[in-house]
Structure formats: structure tokens, C-alpha cells
Amino acid sequence: MNRLYAGLLSLLMLTSAACSEAQNDGGKKGGGKKGGKKSGKTSAMDPIAGLTKLGTLPSEVPESSGLAKGPETGTYYTHGDHGNTPTLYLVRENGELVRRIEVPGISQQDWESLAQDNAGNLYIGDCGNNANDRRDLTIYRLNPNAPGQVGQIKFRYPDQQAFPPDKQERNFDVEATLWHDGQLYLFTRNRARGKVCKIYTLQANGPAQQTAKLLGTLTLPGEVTGADLSPDGRRLALMGREQMFLCDVPGQDLTKAQPRTVELPGAGQTEGVVFNDNNTLTISTEQGVLYRYELGN
């Protein structure tokens, strides 16, 4: 009897130790849903071919969501998104803040993008629309040297009838815009199915009230958060979360672009992007990191 009792006690002790070890291992691995989520931190990034970290923005520049070229080589305009002030920031590529540009007389509902024409005018996309229920979508047009003179384009989508639409139809959030040949191109961040990005256009110097024109769609393995077109019009870069979709553009028809996915694990919430030339891009993240990406030939 004593031998039987001792054997049972030993078995119970071994079982308890094994369970405790399994629980500890599971905690280390982050096996739960929360623990398995991408952190977006950049300190532990593995090297990514073509990608170089340039610098980090100061905390005064919140949640960089758009990017455009500044007046000097190696400088850029950027801004914060929802919940921040109507302010543009001129920064250097190493992250140094050059100056703040307050934009008076306008609101900052949800600034999500910057586009720039060939005369240096900026187009601020206040068209972030997470819930797909906004009726006050606006593009602000200004020269950064005269920020008090602001033009506005208020617009609507031709195919949106409900605010918000059914969950499976919520594809009216725009966080990516670019200027090309007198037109503003808007790329949706699909909040429903995720893989179909719609492309709309507006007249950059057109009426103050416009209905956007739906050009077509692109199929992508992610949600679009930023956009720019190379100076020669042959390459389109679209950003996603820790992703970039590089597209050759046949005949400068953006709806026929064929995306190639570049994974950027650990880069963070990549949102701002601008071509410096046909083969080099600068990328910004909401976490305030600036990167250079070399496309090669």
C-alpha cells in the first residue's frame, strides 16, 4: 500500500511539473491572439534588401501619415492624422524638424495623405473615413509658402448611397492620393474585403464641389495607406501595413498596374511615400521612422 501511494504521488508531481513547463513555454511564444500580433517595432528589424533607415522624427511630429518633397533636397513635408492639429511639418531626412507650418481657417478631421503637383502646390487629403460614414470629404490645396491662402475641393463618391453602407461594401476610406497630369488620384483602403482597391479621380484645379470619377480597381494582398507615382509615370508605389506594392504602369494607365508585393516586416505602420527619382523612394511611418528604398534597375 505504501509503495502504491508513493508511486501515485510521484506520478502526480511529474504531471504537475510538465503542465507548468508547458504553460511557461506558451507564454514565451505569445501563443494567444494578443501575443501573436505584430508589434510594428523597428529596433529588432532584420535587414531588408533595398531598405535603409534614415532617421526618426521628434515626438513633436505626430503619426506621420503623408509625405511630399520639401524645397531642398533631403527635406520633406509631413503631417499627423486624426486627432492632431492642422499643421504641416518640414523635416530633414534624418528626422530633424526644420519648421512648423500652421494652416489657419481649416479643420483636421482626418488628414491621411499629401499629394504634390509640378508647381510645388500641396494637396492635403482630409478623407480618412474609417467608418465609411463621412459626408464632409475634402482636399485642401495650398502653396506652403503662403499657407493662409487655401483652396478646397469638397467631394463625394458616385457609387456611395448609404452612410455607412453595409459592412461588406465599406470601401470608401481613402488614405492614399497622388497628383498626375492635372488629376488627383484617390486609392481606397478597403475596410470590408481588404483586397480590392478602388481608384477615383478629381480635377486638381476644378470646381470646389465635385463628384469623384471611378476609374477602376486594383487587386492587392493588403490595404492601401499611401501612394506615389515615379516622375516618368512608369512605376506606382502603394504602401500597406509593413508592405509595399510596386507596380509597373503600362501606358500610364493605373488601372492596369500589376502589383508586386515587397514585405517590410518590422517597419511599422508605413503610410507616407514619395519618389525622389525614378528608382528611389522615401517612406515614413506613424511611429516616426523615415526610410529610403532603392528599387534598382
Side-chain angles (χ1 to χ4, degrees), residues 106 122-127 134-142 150-156 179 182-186 201-212:
I106 66 174
L122 298 178
Y123 298 82
I124 305 169
D126 193 344
C127 43
R134 287 186 62 182
R135 297 174 183 264
D136 58 349
L137 303 169
T138 307
I139 303 289
Y140 296 109
R141 180 179 59 244
L142 61 90
V150 182
Q152 297 186 21
I153 301 171
K154 294 188 176 296
F155 70 96
R156 60 178 295 273
W179 179 95
Q183 300 287 315
L184 290 169
Y185 290 79
L186 286 63
T201 60
L202 297 166
Q203 299 175 54
N205 292 295
Q209 299 276 348
Q210 296 187 36
T211 298

Side-chain angles (χ1 to χ4, degrees), residues 73-227:
T73 301
T75 63
Y76 301 92
Y77 295 107
T78 189
H79 59 74
D81 63 6
H82 175 73
N84 292 294
T85 61
T87 306
L88 292 171
Y89 302 90
L90 180 63
V91 300
R92 300 192 191 281
E93 64 180 15
N94 65 2
E96 177 188 355
L97 176 63
V98 178
R99 66 186 176 105
R100 295 167 53 101
I101 304 171
E102 306 292 345
V103 186
I106 66 174
S107 64
Q108 212 277 40
Q109 179 71 14
D110 193 2
W111 290 12
E112 288 289 356
S113 67
L114 273 180
Q116 189 173 40
D117 65 22
N118 54 11
N121 296 306
L122 298 178
Y123 298 82
I124 305 169
D126 193 344
C127 43
N129 191 16
N130 291 6
N132 281 232
D133 60 355
R134 287 186 62 182
R135 297 174 183 264
D136 58 349
L137 303 169
T138 307
I139 303 289
Y140 296 109
R141 180 179 59 244
L142 61 90
N143 184 317
N145 294 320
Q149 302 173 23
V150 182
Q152 297 186 21
I153 301 171
K154 294 188 176 296
F155 70 96
R156 60 178 295 273
Y157 300 112
D159 51 337
Q160 182 171 11
Q161 307 300 325
F163 299 84
D166 292 339
K167 288 186 178 181
Q168 293 302 308
E169 302 300 325
R170 293 184 183 180
N171 196 4
F172 300 100
D173 178 23
V174 167
E175 299 187 10
T177 60
L178 63 85
W179 179 95
H180 177 64
D181 197 22
Q183 300 287 315
L184 290 169
Y185 290 79
L186 286 63
F187 301 83
T188 63
R189 179 176 183 175
N190 194 330
R191 295 285 180 175
R193 298 179 176 87
K195 294 184 178 180
V196 178
C197 168
K198 293 194 287 188
I199 307 174
Y200 296 91
T201 60
L202 297 166
Q203 299 175 54
N205 292 295
Q209 299 276 348
Q210 296 187 36
T211 298
K213 179 181 178 181
L214 178 60
L215 286 188
T217 63
L218 291 176
T219 300
L220 305 161
E223 299 177 7
V224 175
T225 59

Side-chain angles (χ1 to χ4, degrees), residues 266-285:
Q269 181 67 24
T270 44
E271 296 213 354
V273 61
V274 62
F275 274 92
N276 298 303
D277 54 46
N278 290 323
N279 296 299
T280 309
L281 301 111
T282 298
I283 299 167
S284 70
T285 74

Side-chain angles (χ1 to χ4, degrees), residues 30-47:
K33 186 175 181 180
K34 184 175 181 180
K37 184 178 179 181
K38 293 181 181 179
S39 67
K41 294 180 180 179
T42 59
S43 58
M45 275 185 70
D46 292 329

